[in-house]
Amino acid sequence: MTNQAPPPPSSGYNAAPQPLSPADEKLWATLVHIGGIFLSFLPALIGYLLLKDRGPFVRDHTRVALNFQISIAIYAIALSVVGGVLVLVTLGIAAVIVIPVAVAFSIAIVVFMIIAAVKANAGQYYRYPLTIEFIR
């Protein structure tokens, strides 16, 4: 009789991630889009990093949401710089145009994210308009 210990169990770190069920994929895709309304790019980034290998539907939605959030950040910075310069150059007169454009821009962003969340919840793919594809 030998007194050898059984081999230790294999580590779960090298195991492939378990695929999500279709209902879970829809849930996470919806939450990533809704989370963007409140937390900007963080839900999309975290969702993409953690869920990209868990199913094609959730991978596509997290990728699309992350690309949209990055694009929106670029557009918002550009709008702020151009709007600020216009307001300064015209001594505040351009604020009559810049402020409504900024408000319309913000409303459009929220509407697009809600549409994306509804499409994700329905199990449909969605592409945001005017999105730069940083992640393919």
Side-chain angles (χ1 to χ4, degrees):
M1 222 193 239
T2 60
N3 231 358
Q4 293 180 346
S10 64
S11 172
Y13 294 115
N14 295 333
Q18 293 296 318
L20 294 172
S21 69
D24 286 343
E25 281 195 80
K26 289 192 302 188
L27 171 70
W28 282 109
T30 303
L31 290 175
V32 164
H33 291 296
I34 293 296
I37 296 172
F38 304 105
L39 299 171
S40 183
F41 70 93
L42 286 177
L45 177 63
I46 293 169
Y48 182 75
L49 293 174
L50 295 179
L51 301 172
K52 69 180 176 184
D53 298 327
R54 306 284 302 270
F57 185 76
V58 75
R59 174 179 166 62
D60 186 68
H61 273 278
T62 56
R63 181 186 59 79
V64 166
L66 184 56
N67 283 330
F68 180 70
Q69 293 295 339
I70 295 169
S71 299
I72 289 307
I74 292 169
Y75 299 149
I77 291 169
L79 180 63
S80 298
V81 169
V82 170
V85 168
L86 283 174
V87 169
L88 286 174
V89 168
T90 62
L91 301 175
I93 296 171
V96 173
I97 296 172
V98 170
I99 292 173
V101 167
V103 170
F105 178 73
S106 300
I107 291 171
I109 291 168
V110 172
V111 168
F112 289 142
M113 285 192 261
I114 291 171
I115 291 170
V118 169
K119 295 283 188 179
N121 197 38
Q124 301 171 358
Y125 289 89
Y126 180 74
R127 294 285 177 264
Y128 287 100
L130 303 173
T131 300
I132 303 167
E133 291 288 326
F134 294 102
I135 301 167
R136 295 188 188 268

